[in-house]
Amino acid sequence: MMRILNFGSLNLDFTYTVPHFVRPGETLAAEKLEVFAGGKGLNQSTALCRAGAEVFHAGCVGPDGGGLLEQLRQDGADLRFVRTLPGVRTGHTIIQVDGAGQNCILVCGGANRRADAAMAQEVLDAFGPGDWLLLQNEISGLDSILRLAGEKGLHIAFNPSPISPEIRRLPLETVELFLVNEVEGAALGGSGSPEECLEGLRRRFPGARLVLTLGTDGAFYFDGTRTLFQPAFSVQAVDSTAAGDTFTGYFLAALGEGLDGGDALRLAAAAAAISVTRMGASPSIPTRAETEAFLQSRQKEI
Ligand code: RIB
C-alpha cells in the first residue's frame, strides 16, 4: 500500500445553523452552534484513513488543538509530524449553514500559518520516491514543500482550495494530480464549459492528471489519456461542508489501492454524497464500509 503524507490544515469549525447567510449590516440569531473537527487538511486525512489508506499528517496546532489530534489518531493517522506550538491559536473557522445545506466559511489560519521551509525539510526528510504528498491551500510554506517534494521525487497531488492569487506563483510543474472544483478550475484553467476548463488545465499542466468536481453536476477525471465522467448521487443535502475533502481523500486512496479511474470516481462520489447528508466537516465523512453499502444500495444509479 502506498504511503501518503498530507501536509495540511487543522481547524476547529464553529458551525452555526442559520435561516440565511448574514447580510451586510444585519444581526442574525443562529439556530444552533456546533463545534466540529475540520480544516481541509484534517478532513482529507480523515477521508483517506476511513477509505483505508496509510496516512501521515503534517501540520501545526496550538495548545487548544488536542481534540483535533485525538480525532485523527482514532482514525489511524500517524501524527509524528504534527507540531503543537505554544502561544498560538489553532486555526478556526466560522461556518454558516443554511436550510439548503449550503455553507459560507470564514477561516482564520492561526497555527496553520506557521509551517515554513525548516519544517518542510524536516518532514520531507522522512519521505522519498514512491510516496505521495497531498496538499491543499490552507497552510503557509507551500512553495518550500512543493520544491522539496519535487526534488525528492515524491508523487504530488494538489487540491488548490481555497483558491487564492498566490497559487499562480507556486512551483506546480511537478504536480501529478490536480483536484479542483469549478471555481479553482476556472482560476487555473480558464472559465467556460467543463470540457473547456479541462482543456485549459491540460494545456497549462501537460502530463498532469486532472479531477474536476462540479457538485451535484458530477465529476470528470482526465487520466492522461481518457476523460471519464461520474454523475453525482442524488441525496437530501443537510450540510455540504467537507464534501470536496471527502471526494479528494477517497479518490486518492482508491487510486493508491490500484482501482481504475472509473471505480475511484464512483467510490469518491458515493463517499461525498453520504457526507452531505450529515452535519459537520470530519464527522460527516463515512467509513469505507458505509460507502460500499451505499454503492450497493444505488446499483441502478452507477
Ligand atoms: O472544506 C471544508 C473545510 O474548509 C472546513 O472544515 C473548514 O475548516 C475549512 O477549512
Side-chain angles (χ1 to χ4, degrees):
M1 198 186 352
M2 72 184 192
R3 300 197 308 166
I4 302 173
L5 167 65
N6 182 16
F7 211 137
S9 59
L10 303 106
N11 289 335
L12 289 160
D13 286 349
F14 292 85
T15 304
Y16 298 84
T17 302
V18 293
H20 60 260
F21 298 152
V22 183
R23 301 183 184 110
E26 182 184 28
T27 300
L28 180 69
E31 291 160 9
K32 193 166 49 167
L33 164 64
E34 292 163 283
V35 184
F36 297 112
K40 295 180 193 303
L42 180 149
N43 297 336
Q44 292 181 22
S45 279
T46 303
L48 283 161
C49 286
R50 293 186 187 168
E54 182 181 4
V55 182
F56 296 78
H57 191 96
C60 300
V61 293
D64 54 341
L68 300 182
L69 303 189
E70 188 45 40
Q71 198 228 268
L72 271 182
R73 197 172 288 118
Q74 279 176 19
D75 273 306
D78 186 312
L79 300 183
R80 77 184 75 175
F81 302 111
V82 176
R83 291 185 179 169
T84 300
L85 306 174
V88 191
R89 284 187 67 148
T90 297
H92 78 272
T93 60
I94 292 174
I95 302 182
Q96 299 176 52
V97 177
D98 71 9
Q102 300 184 102
N103 66 44
C104 62
I105 303 179
L106 177 68
V107 59
C108 182
N112 295 312
R113 310 304 306 173
R114 295 299 186 96
D116 59 13
M119 182 176 180
Q121 181 78 61
E122 192 183 312
V123 173
L124 284 160
D125 270 352
F127 295 88
D131 295 328
W132 274 83
L133 169 71
L134 171 62
L135 294 171
Q136 312 78 32
N137 187 33
E138 273 192 333
I139 60 167
S140 53
L142 285 180
D143 190 274
S144 307
I145 299 167
L146 280 161
R147 275 184 210 290
L148 269 173
E151 283 164 22
K152 297 199 69 168
L154 273 75
H155 302 288
I156 304 175
F158 186 37
N159 169 225
S161 179
I163 194 74
S164 66
E166 297 76 45
I167 283 185
R168 290 181 159 271
R169 292 192 285 277
L170 290 173
L172 298 177
E173 59 283 351
T174 51
V175 174
E176 279 180 41
L177 174 65
F178 286 90
L179 302 111
V180 298
N181 64 19
E182 57 261 71
V183 176
E184 295 142 12
L188 291 176
S191 48
S193 67
E195 290 78 9
E196 286 167 332
C197 174
L198 282 169
E199 187 50 39
L201 288 166
R202 281 171 61 175
R203 269 199 305 273
R204 184 145 180 223
F205 305 110
R209 291 180 272 164
L210 308 165
V211 173
L212 174 63
T213 59
L214 303 168
T216 54
D217 288 330
F220 288 89
Y221 174 47
F222 171 67
D223 68 3
T225 313
R226 303 167 304 161
T227 300
L228 308 169
F229 175 71
Q230 170 66 45
F233 293 97
S234 130
V235 289
Q236 187 67 45
V238 169
D239 177 7
S240 61
T241 310
D245 299 329
T246 304
F247 191 104
T248 292
Y250 262 83
F251 187 79
L252 189 56
L255 287 190
E257 266 177 38
L259 264 61
D260 70 27
D263 288 340
L265 274 178
R266 267 189 295 281
L267 189 73
I274 297 171
S275 79
V276 305
T277 65
R278 302 169 176 173
M279 275 302 289
S282 62
S284 72
I285 300 169
T287 61
R288 181 67 175 259
E290 288 172 322
T291 307
E292 303 278 6
F294 177 91
L295 276 174
Q296 281 286 329
S297 72
R298 298 293 187 100
Q299 284 283 6
K300 289 202 184 78
E301 277 183 61
I302 53 181

